[in-house]
Amino acid sequence: MKKIVFATNNSHKLKEIRAIANGKLEILSLSDIESYDEIEENGSTLEENALIKARFIKDKYGYDCFADDTGLEVEAIGNAPGVYSARYAGEHCSPQDNMEKLLREMTGKLNRKARFRTAIALLCNGEQHLFEGEINGRIIEEKRGSAGFGYDPVFQPDGYDQTFAEIGDEQKNKISHRALAMNKLADFLLSEDE
């Protein structure tokens, strides 16, 4: 089975990616390779941030690896928080703080359209590849559900009457932005082995 490093310290993302990979790939975490570095994400796009993380791990540790960056883009507020989704309410904020800030910003707004976008950068066999996934939906007016993480309790994907936090991990991992990007990555890596 192909081994690859996922350049993240986010345990929720790691669990989600491993579930999406469904045993087709052995996904190593940063702690599996004893990397405890803080990687500064100072890119201006999701793609840049994903590449920064992947390059850091490849250059320092030599492993083929991939990294992702994900953003929530809300139309009514200029596609914010976007690349700043994880630190929307400030540098050391919690996901709860981010959601509360977003709900305050959306007060009274009729346009609730939003989308989640994931960019995955892969550095493998001396080549660089990018994979993207996105899902459209809307920001609801109050949090609902307890599954998932991040903005999941306020994001309702198109075609569903539940939020990501209500539909549960199994269903989310079939339709999410990260699932779409990860499936493209997995298909690419598995086709390389054929």
Side-chain angles (χ1 to χ4, degrees), residues 120-187:
I120 294 177
L122 169 68
L123 299 178
C124 186
N125 301 327
E127 295 181 356
Q128 171 184 305
H129 304 274
L130 282 170
F131 305 92
E132 291 187 29
E134 76 174 53
I135 185 167
N136 293 303
R138 59 189 301 275
I139 301 301
I140 61 169
E141 297 189 8
E142 58 188 19
K143 294 175 278 194
R144 292 195 327 239
S146 57
F149 61 98
Y151 295 93
D152 287 357
V154 297
F155 182 81
Q156 182 177 308
D158 286 350
Y160 290 79
D161 57 7
Q162 295 177 305
T163 66
F164 266 171
E166 292 175 303
I167 64 174
D169 292 344
E170 188 176 334
Q171 181 62 21
K172 180 189 170 191
N173 288 344
K174 291 177 183 168
I175 66 165
S176 78
H177 47 294
R178 193 171 291 108
L180 296 171
M182 183 61 195
N183 285 329
K184 290 175 188 175
L185 169 74
D187 288 347

Side-chain angles (χ1 to χ4, degrees), residues 105-120:
E105 301 264 329
M106 292 299 290
T107 301
K109 297 217 177 349
L110 297 178
N111 177 1
R112 314 290 292 186
K113 287 184 194 167
R115 68 179 180 172
F116 266 120
R117 271 195 336 112
T118 291
I120 294 177

Side-chain angles (χ1 to χ4, degrees), residues 2-13:
K2 186 167 184 74
K3 286 186 183 182
I4 191 151
V5 174
F6 180 20
T8 188
N9 287 312
N10 184 317
S11 61
H12 294 293
K13 283 186 181 182

Side-chain angles (χ1 to χ4, degrees), residues 45-63:
T45 66
L46 300 175
E47 293 80 6
E48 284 177 17
N49 279 341
L51 277 166
I52 287 168
K53 291 184 276 190
R55 276 202 194 105
F56 181 92
I57 296 304
K58 181 70 175 166
D59 291 348
K60 184 168 181 180
Y61 297 92
Y63 289 98

